[in-house]
Amino acid sequence: MNKRLGGWQCWVDLYDSYVIKTPKSRKEIKQEVEKFLRWKNKLEELEERTDKMISDIKNSTKVIKKSKIPRKLLANLEFIENGRVKQKKVLPLDQALNNLNEKERFKLIDKIMKFLLKLWSYGIHEKTFKLFSNLGIDDKEIVLIDVFEITSNKEKVLKQIKKKSWAKIENYKKHLSNKEINYLINKLDKTFTKKNLNKYWKTR
Protein backbone atom coordinates (compact mmCIF):
# COMPACT_ATOMS: atom_id res chain seq x y z
CA MET A 1 0.00 0.00 0.00
CA ASN A 2 1.27 3.46 -0.91
CA LYS A 3 -1.10 5.69 1.01
CA ARG A 4 -4.33 5.70 3.04
CA LEU A 5 -6.89 8.49 2.67
CA GLY A 6 -10.05 8.94 4.69
CA GLY A 7 -13.33 10.19 3.23
CA TRP A 8 -16.62 10.58 5.05
CA GLN A 9 -17.77 7.02 4.47
CA CYS A 10 -14.66 5.02 3.64
CA TRP A 11 -10.96 4.50 4.13
CA VAL A 12 -9.28 4.55 0.72
CA ASP A 13 -6.07 2.55 0.40
CA LEU A 14 -4.09 3.57 -2.68
CA TYR A 15 -1.93 1.04 -4.52
CA ASP A 16 -0.04 1.48 -7.80
CA SER A 17 -2.87 0.50 -10.14
CA TYR A 18 -5.94 0.09 -7.93
CA VAL A 19 -7.65 1.32 -4.76
CA ILE A 20 -9.40 -0.57 -1.96
CA LYS A 21 -12.27 1.17 -0.19
CA THR A 22 -13.25 0.00 3.28
CA PRO A 23 -16.50 1.37 4.74
CA LYS A 24 -15.84 3.14 8.04
CA SER A 25 -17.41 2.04 11.30
CA ARG A 26 -20.41 3.96 12.67
CA LYS A 27 -18.12 5.59 15.23
CA GLU A 28 -15.65 6.74 12.54
CA ILE A 29 -18.42 8.08 10.30
CA LYS A 30 -19.97 9.89 13.26
CA GLN A 31 -16.65 11.64 13.98
CA GLU A 32 -16.49 12.94 10.38
CA VAL A 33 -20.10 14.11 10.45
CA GLU A 34 -19.62 15.75 13.84
CA LYS A 35 -16.69 17.86 12.60
CA PHE A 36 -18.79 19.10 9.69
CA LEU A 37 -21.90 19.80 11.78
CA ARG A 38 -19.91 21.65 14.43
CA TRP A 39 -18.64 23.93 11.69
CA LYS A 40 -22.22 24.32 10.38
CA ASN A 41 -23.58 24.74 13.93
CA LYS A 42 -26.10 21.92 13.36
CA LEU A 43 -25.04 19.26 15.87
CA GLU A 44 -28.66 18.28 16.47
CA GLU A 45 -28.56 16.50 13.08
CA LEU A 46 -25.69 14.20 14.11
CA GLU A 47 -27.54 10.88 14.54
CA GLU A 48 -29.77 11.42 11.53
CA ARG A 49 -26.85 12.33 9.25
CA THR A 50 -24.76 9.41 10.51
CA ASP A 51 -27.64 6.97 9.89
CA LYS A 52 -28.05 8.37 6.40
CA MET A 53 -24.37 7.85 5.54
CA ILE A 54 -24.55 4.23 6.68
CA SER A 55 -27.78 3.54 4.81
CA ASP A 56 -26.30 5.19 1.68
CA ILE A 57 -23.48 2.62 1.69
CA LYS A 58 -25.91 -0.30 2.11
CA ASN A 59 -28.41 0.97 -0.46
CA SER A 60 -25.77 1.86 -3.05
CA THR A 61 -24.19 -1.59 -2.68
CA LYS A 62 -27.59 -3.22 -3.30
CA VAL A 63 -28.24 -0.99 -6.33
CA ILE A 64 -24.95 -1.96 -7.98
CA LYS A 65 -25.27 -5.67 -7.20
CA LYS A 66 -28.72 -5.74 -8.84
CA SER A 67 -27.73 -3.55 -11.79
CA LYS A 68 -26.60 -4.64 -15.25
CA ILE A 69 -24.17 -1.71 -15.42
CA PRO A 70 -20.82 -2.71 -16.97
CA ARG A 71 -18.19 -2.65 -14.25
CA LYS A 72 -15.84 -0.62 -16.46
CA LEU A 73 -18.21 2.36 -15.98
CA LEU A 74 -17.49 1.99 -12.25
CA ALA A 75 -13.68 1.85 -12.67
CA ASN A 76 -13.74 -1.98 -12.87
CA LEU A 77 -15.43 -2.26 -9.49
CA GLU A 78 -15.26 -5.59 -7.65
CA PHE A 79 -16.90 -6.38 -4.32
CA ILE A 80 -14.44 -8.13 -2.04
CA GLU A 81 -14.82 -9.45 1.51
CA ASN A 82 -16.23 -7.47 4.48
CA GLY A 83 -18.13 -4.93 2.39
CA ARG A 84 -14.94 -3.61 0.77
CA VAL A 85 -14.61 -2.68 -2.88
CA LYS A 86 -11.66 -2.73 -5.24
CA GLN A 87 -11.48 -0.29 -8.18
CA LYS A 88 -8.97 0.65 -10.82
CA LYS A 89 -6.97 3.71 -9.83
CA VAL A 90 -8.08 6.50 -12.15
CA LEU A 91 -7.69 10.26 -12.34
CA PRO A 92 -10.50 12.13 -10.53
CA LEU A 93 -12.04 14.88 -12.64
CA ASP A 94 -10.94 17.63 -10.24
CA GLN A 95 -7.32 16.63 -11.01
CA ALA A 96 -7.98 16.13 -14.72
CA LEU A 97 -9.29 19.72 -14.95
CA ASN A 98 -5.85 21.07 -14.06
CA ASN A 99 -4.48 19.99 -17.44
CA LEU A 100 -7.33 21.37 -19.56
CA ASN A 101 -7.84 24.71 -21.26
CA GLU A 102 -11.28 26.36 -21.31
CA LYS A 103 -12.38 24.78 -24.59
CA GLU A 104 -11.40 21.32 -23.32
CA ARG A 105 -13.23 21.97 -20.04
CA PHE A 106 -16.44 22.75 -21.95
CA LYS A 107 -15.98 19.49 -23.88
CA LEU A 108 -15.50 17.61 -20.62
CA ILE A 109 -18.75 19.08 -19.26
CA ASP A 110 -20.57 17.85 -22.40
CA LYS A 111 -19.04 14.42 -21.83
CA ILE A 112 -20.22 14.42 -18.19
CA MET A 113 -23.82 14.99 -19.36
CA LYS A 114 -23.67 11.98 -21.68
CA PHE A 115 -22.26 9.87 -18.86
CA LEU A 116 -25.00 10.92 -16.40
CA LEU A 117 -27.64 9.90 -18.97
CA LYS A 118 -25.80 6.61 -19.45
CA LEU A 119 -26.06 6.00 -15.68
CA TRP A 120 -29.79 6.72 -15.92
CA SER A 121 -30.10 4.11 -18.66
CA TYR A 122 -28.98 1.55 -16.07
CA GLY A 123 -31.35 2.98 -13.43
CA ILE A 124 -28.56 4.70 -11.48
CA HIS A 125 -28.42 8.35 -10.39
CA GLU A 126 -25.52 10.13 -8.66
CA LYS A 127 -27.46 12.18 -6.13
CA THR A 128 -24.87 14.53 -4.62
CA PHE A 129 -23.75 16.32 -7.83
CA LYS A 130 -20.16 16.24 -6.57
CA LEU A 131 -19.24 15.68 -10.18
CA PHE A 132 -15.57 16.54 -9.99
CA SER A 133 -14.69 14.36 -7.02
CA ASN A 134 -17.13 11.49 -7.61
CA LEU A 135 -16.29 11.00 -11.30
CA GLY A 136 -12.95 10.15 -12.87
CA ILE A 137 -11.25 9.56 -16.22
CA ASP A 138 -10.13 6.13 -17.39
CA ASP A 139 -8.65 5.87 -20.90
CA LYS A 140 -10.37 9.15 -21.89
CA GLU A 141 -13.74 7.78 -20.73
CA ILE A 142 -15.66 9.05 -17.71
CA VAL A 143 -16.29 6.57 -14.88
CA LEU A 144 -18.05 6.73 -11.51
CA ILE A 145 -15.51 6.43 -8.71
CA ASP A 146 -17.65 7.17 -5.65
CA VAL A 147 -20.23 4.41 -5.82
CA PHE A 148 -21.78 4.98 -2.37
CA GLU A 149 -23.77 8.12 -3.19
CA ILE A 150 -26.25 6.78 -5.71
CA THR A 151 -29.92 5.91 -5.86
CA SER A 152 -32.12 3.76 -8.11
CA ASN A 153 -35.31 5.40 -6.84
CA LYS A 154 -36.87 7.24 -9.79
CA GLU A 155 -39.17 9.24 -7.47
CA LYS A 156 -36.15 10.63 -5.61
CA VAL A 157 -34.58 11.64 -8.92
CA LEU A 158 -37.81 13.39 -9.90
CA LYS A 159 -37.79 15.32 -6.61
CA GLN A 160 -34.23 16.49 -7.29
CA ILE A 161 -35.25 17.55 -10.80
CA LYS A 162 -38.12 19.64 -9.41
CA LYS A 163 -35.83 21.25 -6.84
CA LYS A 164 -32.93 21.67 -9.31
CA SER A 165 -30.67 20.31 -6.57
CA TRP A 166 -27.56 20.67 -8.75
CA ALA A 167 -27.88 24.45 -9.22
CA LYS A 168 -25.68 25.47 -6.28
CA ILE A 169 -22.92 27.67 -7.67
CA GLU A 170 -20.78 27.30 -4.52
CA ASN A 171 -20.42 23.54 -5.20
CA TYR A 172 -18.37 24.24 -8.32
CA LYS A 173 -16.44 27.39 -7.35
CA LYS A 174 -13.20 25.64 -6.47
CA HIS A 175 -13.16 23.74 -9.77
CA LEU A 176 -14.48 26.09 -12.44
CA SER A 177 -14.53 29.73 -13.55
CA ASN A 178 -17.85 31.62 -13.43
CA LYS A 179 -18.27 31.20 -17.17
CA GLU A 180 -17.69 27.44 -16.88
CA ILE A 181 -20.09 27.18 -13.93
CA ASN A 182 -22.83 28.92 -15.93
CA TYR A 183 -22.20 26.52 -18.81
CA LEU A 184 -22.30 23.49 -16.48
CA ILE A 185 -25.53 24.50 -14.70
CA ASN A 186 -27.19 25.32 -18.01
CA LYS A 187 -26.20 21.87 -19.32
CA LEU A 188 -27.46 20.16 -16.14
CA ASP A 189 -30.76 22.04 -16.45
CA LYS A 190 -31.16 20.69 -19.99
CA THR A 191 -30.00 17.16 -19.13
CA PHE A 192 -31.85 16.59 -15.89
CA THR A 193 -35.45 16.93 -17.07
CA LYS A 194 -38.53 14.82 -16.46
CA LYS A 195 -38.70 14.18 -20.21
CA ASN A 196 -35.12 12.82 -20.29
CA LEU A 197 -35.73 10.79 -17.14
CA ASN A 198 -38.65 9.01 -18.77
CA LYS A 199 -36.75 8.64 -22.02
CA TYR A 200 -33.52 7.14 -20.61
CA TRP A 201 -34.36 5.57 -17.24
CA LYS A 202 -33.65 1.81 -17.19
CA THR A 203 -33.55 1.44 -20.96
CA ARG A 204 -30.63 -1.01 -20.82
Side-chain angles (χ1 to χ4, degrees), residues 50-69:
T50 304
D51 288 344
K52 188 179 177 304
M53 289 259 162
I54 292 163
S55 71
D56 272 354
I57 295 172
K58 285 182 184 158
N59 294 338
S60 297
T61 300
K62 269 188 209 155
V63 168
I64 291 167
K65 284 185 171 174
K66 280 169 71 175
S67 166
K68 295 192 190 99
I69 190 165

Side-chain angles (χ1 to χ4, degrees), residues 125-131 155-172 185 188-189 192:
H125 172 71
E126 198 289 326
K127 60 186 180 159
T128 65
F129 310 107
K130 291 189 276 197
L131 303 174
E155 287 308 307
K156 274 188 187 166
V157 184
L158 210 47
K159 270 186 192 163
Q160 286 199 322
I161 287 171
K162 282 179 183 156
K163 278 166 67 178
K164 291 199 172 189
S165 302
W166 54 85
K168 293 173 183 157
I169 288 169
E170 64 275 12
N171 288 358
Y172 313 112
I185 290 179
L188 286 165
D189 287 345
F192 284 148

Side-chain angles (χ1 to χ4, degrees), residues 4-12 21-33 35 50 53-54 57 82-84 148:
R4 171 168 262 209
L5 304 172
W8 280 58
Q9 296 166 306
C10 296
W11 293 109
V12 183
K21 295 178 181 174
T22 305
K24 288 184 168 182
S25 67
R26 182 185 178 85
K27 187 181 170 189
E28 289 169 327
I29 289 175
K30 198 170 174 177
Q31 283 169 346
E32 292 293 333
V33 175
K35 275 188 275 187
T50 304
M53 289 259 162
I54 292 163
I57 295 172
N82 304 327
R84 299 186 306 153
F148 293 131

Side-chain angles (χ1 to χ4, degrees), residues 134-149:
N134 286 1
L135 302 179
I137 290 269
D138 179 26
D139 294 333
K140 296 185 181 172
E141 294 302 320
I142 293 181
V143 294
L144 181 65
I145 50 180
D146 190 332
V147 294
F148 293 131
E149 296 188 310

Side-chain angles (χ1 to χ4, degrees), residues 41-127:
N41 213 5
K42 289 186 176 175
L43 266 183
E44 69 281 359
E45 296 177 14
L46 183 57
E47 294 301 326
E48 185 193 338
R49 292 265 196 141
T50 304
D51 288 344
K52 188 179 177 304
M53 289 259 162
I54 292 163
S55 71
D56 272 354
I57 295 172
K58 285 182 184 158
N59 294 338
S60 297
T61 300
K62 269 188 209 155
V63 168
I64 291 167
K65 284 185 171 174
K66 280 169 71 175
S67 166
K68 295 192 190 99
I69 190 165
R71 294 302 186 250
K72 68 175 184 184
L73 297 181
L74 309 173
N76 297 348
L77 177 134
E78 290 172 56
F79 288 102
I80 52 181
E81 72 289 338
N82 304 327
R84 299 186 306 153
V85 297
K86 179 180 178 182
Q87 286 174 293
K88 185 176 176 183
K89 190 179 180 183
V90 301
L91 190 66
L93 289 192
D94 51 9
Q95 291 175 34
L97 282 173
N98 297 334
N99 310 319
L100 303 180
N101 61 36
E102 187 179 74
K103 192 179 173 188
E104 290 166 331
R105 284 164 166 242
F106 286 146
K107 274 191 177 163
L108 179 67
I109 290 168
D110 292 344
K111 224 173 171 174
I112 291 169
M113 299 308 123
K114 286 182 180 153
F115 179 74
L116 295 172
L117 290 175
K118 196 182 277 184
L119 287 183
W120 274 10
S121 72
Y122 291 102
I124 289 173
H125 172 71
E126 198 289 326
K127 60 186 180 159

Side-chain angles (χ1 to χ4, degrees), residues 187-198:
K187 281 284 178 182
L188 286 165
D189 287 345
K190 288 177 178 165
T191 302
F192 284 148
T193 62
K194 186 177 177 183
K195 186 181 174 187
N196 272 348
L197 185 65
N198 290 328

